[in-house]
């Protein structure tokens, strides 16, 4: 998983992301100098209205999502999605065998670890350990929190070596930490991807396309992050929810995604797009029905 940028927008719909950007700029455009009580009150009122609008929109979106078929959130499809991602992240479809995996892939993301490829350099591994430590104080990874905060955003191992990799492997033997990994994977990547894809009018394949893109590109706001990628796609094609063709939109999405991958990593193997998701799309398998056959880094996989 190769990504950078902030992750705190991951659980929010696109509307909330827009509000996040609009409100700070409003304050920045205000005249310099002392703030009058009336001006401050006006800005507070505007912020309150924006927050109320966001909550109302979120409630409406919740109702829309709840009214739709489960899609990728159905138990069998969810399991299928995790197996597909594991083939790209770990070269296996047995994702449950990867809780304790940890390595530096020489991609400036530090250590990549666990079921979804949490990274010491891209904030999500730090967040995982922080959340886990709140529920399980005194765990074997808690003592590395100061170092994890220091290296966040870098590829450095400072304060982590020696010992962190062995501590990760040992902790991954515990059911509590395995559950924490799954919870964080779903909170940061799976659930936001499925939700947004449903709001965009996408079926099960499209929901998986979003999920895998969030895993690889991250849910930050940098130019290579998922949301920036989606904005570039919207310049080329309409979502089904906006009246566009689902196949045409997904085709454009995969084009932009592949281009984004190669722009950042020119030597990167793009199998997860070319010989997996593109293959499903070309077959017209918008429901991601099994059996599925795909190739990843030269290896062939089949799930029935």
């Amino acid at each position: 998983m190769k990504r950078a940028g902030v992750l705190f927008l991951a659980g929010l719909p696109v509307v909330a992301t827009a509000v996040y950007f609009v409100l700070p700029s409003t304050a920045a455009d205000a005249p310099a100098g002392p703030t009058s009580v009336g001006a401050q009150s006006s800005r507070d009122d505007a912020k309150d209205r924006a927050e109320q609008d966001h909550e109302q929109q979120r409630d409406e979106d919740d109702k829309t999502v709840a009214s739709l078929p489960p899609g990728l959130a159905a138990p069998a499809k969810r399991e299928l999605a995790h197996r597909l991602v594991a083939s790209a992240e770990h070269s296996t479809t047995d994702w449950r065998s990867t809780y304790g995996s940890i390595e530096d892939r020489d991609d400036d993301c530090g250590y990549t670890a666990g079921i979804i490829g949490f990274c010491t350099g891209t904030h999500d591994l730090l967040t995982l350990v922080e959340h886990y430590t709140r529920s399980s104080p005194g765990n074997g990874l808690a003592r590395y929190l100061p170092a994890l905060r220091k290296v966040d955003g870098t590829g450095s191992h400072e304060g982590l070596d020696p010992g962190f990799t062995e501590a990760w492997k040992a902790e991954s033997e515990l059911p509590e930490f395995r559950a924490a990994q799954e919870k964080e994977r779903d909170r940061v990547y799976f659930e936001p991807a499925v939700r947004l894809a449903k709001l965009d009018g996408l079926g099960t394949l499209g929901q998986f396309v979003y999920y895998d893109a969030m895993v690889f590109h991250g849910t930050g706001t940098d130019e290579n992050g998922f949301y920036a990628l989606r904005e570039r796609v919207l310049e080329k094609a309409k979502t089904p929810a906006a009246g566009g063709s689902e196949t045409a939109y997904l085709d454009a999405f995969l084009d932009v995604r592949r281009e984004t991958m190669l722009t950042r990593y020119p030597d990167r193997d793009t199998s997860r797009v070319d010989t997996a998701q593109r293959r499903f799309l070309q077959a017209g398998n918008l429901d991601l029905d099994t059996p599925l056959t795909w190739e990843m880094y030269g290896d062939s996989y089949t799930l029935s």
Side-chain angles (χ1 to χ4, degrees):
M1 186 163 26
K2 315 294 177 274
R3 57 191 183 280
V6 235
L7 293 169
F8 69 92
L9 295 175
L12 303 180
V14 173
V15 172
T17 305
V19 169
Y20 169 77
F21 283 116
V22 169
L23 289 179
S25 64
T26 302
D29 292 339
T35 303
S36 71
V37 174
Q40 182 62 50
S41 176
S42 177
R43 283 197 290 275
D44 288 345
D45 288 344
K47 181 178 180 180
D48 288 343
R49 285 195 298 273
E51 290 175 349
Q52 290 171 3
D53 289 344
H54 165 240
E55 290 301 323
Q56 181 178 356
Q57 182 64 53
R58 186 171 182 84
D59 289 343
E60 292 175 0
D61 289 347
D62 286 343
K63 292 177 182 178
T64 298
V65 172
S67 70
L68 296 170
L72 201 67
K77 298 296 186 183
R78 181 189 292 257
E79 176 69 15
L80 178 63
H82 297 333
R83 288 176 177 269
L84 286 165
V85 169
S87 73
E89 291 291 320
H90 299 289
S91 296
T92 179
T93 57
D94 182 11
W95 65 268
R96 291 178 179 83
S97 69
T98 66
Y99 294 103
S101 68
I102 182 166
E103 62 179 328
D104 189 321
R105 298 177 178 176
D106 292 324
D107 52 14
D108 297 323
C109 292
Y111 283 121
T112 296
I115 56 174
I116 205 68
F118 302 102
C119 296
T120 57
T122 59
H123 199 65
D124 57 350
L125 191 147
L126 168 60
T127 303
L128 166 63
V129 176
E130 286 178 334
H131 288 174
Y132 177 54
T133 301
R134 290 191 196 116
S135 60
S136 301
N139 68 77
L141 297 173
R143 67 181 182 273
Y144 291 100
L145 279 170
L148 288 171
R149 294 186 182 110
K150 188 172 182 179
V151 302
D152 191 27
T154 76
S156 173
H157 295 178
E158 184 178 354
L160 299 177
D161 295 335
F164 180 71
T165 57
E166 292 306 314
W168 178 277
K169 292 175 184 177
E171 203 69 23
S172 294
E173 295 295 323
L174 302 180
E176 296 83 0
F177 188 50
R178 294 186 173 198
Q181 287 193 41
E182 293 180 31
K183 182 177 181 180
E184 200 68 8
R185 171 199 63 195
D186 293 347
R187 183 187 73 84
V188 176
Y189 299 108
F190 186 83
E191 291 167 3
V194 172
R195 175 186 173 84
L196 180 54
K198 287 184 176 182
L199 292 173
D200 279 349
L202 299 173
T204 306
L205 174 59
Q207 292 161 33
F208 174 73
V209 167
Y210 273 23
Y211 174 43
D212 188 67
M214 283 195 183
V215 168
F216 184 91
H217 296 277
T219 53
T221 56
D222 60 288
E223 63 180 357
N224 293 309
F226 171 84
Y227 292 106
L229 186 156
R230 178 177 171 274
E231 288 301 312
R232 292 196 290 275
V233 176
L234 292 175
E235 295 173 359
K236 300 174 178 293
K238 292 182 179 180
T239 65
S245 159
E246 183 171 12
T247 299
Y249 176 79
L250 289 176
D251 200 43
F253 190 97
L254 294 179
D255 284 345
V256 172
R257 185 180 172 194
R258 187 177 191 278
E259 178 184 348
T260 302
M261 291 172 70
L262 292 175
T263 296
R264 188 172 182 189
Y265 301 105
D267 299 327
R268 174 56 50 87
D269 185 307
T270 55
S271 294
R272 62 203 301 160
V273 171
D274 301 334
T275 53
Q277 295 168 45
R278 183 84 71 181
R279 180 174 293 180
F280 306 151
L281 180 62
Q282 290 174 342
N285 192 357
L286 297 177
D287 293 326
L288 208 58
D289 291 327
T290 53
L292 284 178
T293 298
W294 71 99
E295 295 177 13
M296 196 69 66
Y297 317 133
D299 295 327
S300 294
Y301 299 89
T302 297
L303 288 177
S304 60

